[in-house]
Amino acid sequence: MRVAFGADHAGFALKEHLRAAAAADGHEVIDLGTHSVESVDYPDYGAAVARAVVAGEADRGVLVCGSGNGIAIAANKVAGARAAVVHDATSARLAVEHNDANVCALGARFLGEQIAEDAVRAYLAAEFEGGRHARRIDKITEIERNGD
């Protein structure tokens, strides 16, 4: 699977850990930055990863900032992106199975490396269940299309 990674300065170290773990698991890693702990703006990286996923340059995206919230909000402004803040393996798996999340976001200030790694592994292994969930994703897409 091709996985795009992005983070701001607060998420840099965890992104590096997760990127290495994904590569070790055999995934093709696309690193969209940031590449240091120098202060940057999370919307730039959230949007970059979301755009890569929506354009088909990556199959899924993984984002990291301090809380996971800001970078997910930015990613969700890109039409076609469905970014979910995840807290553990279960929330990551359900984000895909029930919500067809194509981007996950993690909070580096709240998650240790192992919990984050387990979450990303669960996210990348999960598949959308469809069925009753597809109807709900269609409604989200309609809201996105109509802007209301």
Side-chain angles (χ1 to χ4, degrees):
M1 180 177 295
R2 293 169 302 152
V3 185
F5 283 81
D8 68 358
H9 54 283
F12 170 72
L14 184 57
K15 179 203 52 129
E16 291 296 292
H17 177 83
L18 296 172
R19 183 178 58 78
D25 287 346
H27 297 288
E28 179 184 335
V29 169
I30 303 164
D31 188 348
L32 298 177
T34 193
H35 302 290
S36 76
V37 295
E38 182 178 331
S39 183
V40 294
D41 298 325
Y42 62 80
D44 299 335
Y45 301 93
V49 166
R51 287 182 184 123
V53 171
V54 170
E57 297 163 9
D59 301 304
R60 297 228 178 124
V62 175
L63 296 169
V64 189
C65 71
S67 69
N69 291 316
I71 207 161
I73 291 168
N76 279 320
K77 298 300 180 182
V78 175
R82 287 178 303 282
V85 178
V86 303
H87 308 287
D88 54 24
T90 301
S91 62
R93 178 179 53 80
L94 290 173
V96 177
E97 290 177 355
H98 292 188
N99 308 115
D100 200 16
N102 52 15
V103 176
C104 77
L106 302 101
R109 293 183 178 132
F110 301 108
L111 299 177
E113 286 182 348
Q114 190 60 59
I115 290 175
E117 190 176 321
D118 292 346
V120 170
R121 279 198 177 107
Y123 163 72
L124 295 177
E127 295 183 23
F128 182 51
E129 289 181 354
R132 71 184 192 277
H133 305 296
R135 180 179 77 246
R136 296 163 185 158
I137 300 307
D138 290 345
K139 288 184 176 192
I140 291 170
T141 302
E142 189 63 27
I143 293 167
E144 183 177 67
R145 189 175 300 126
N146 293 330
D148 60 6

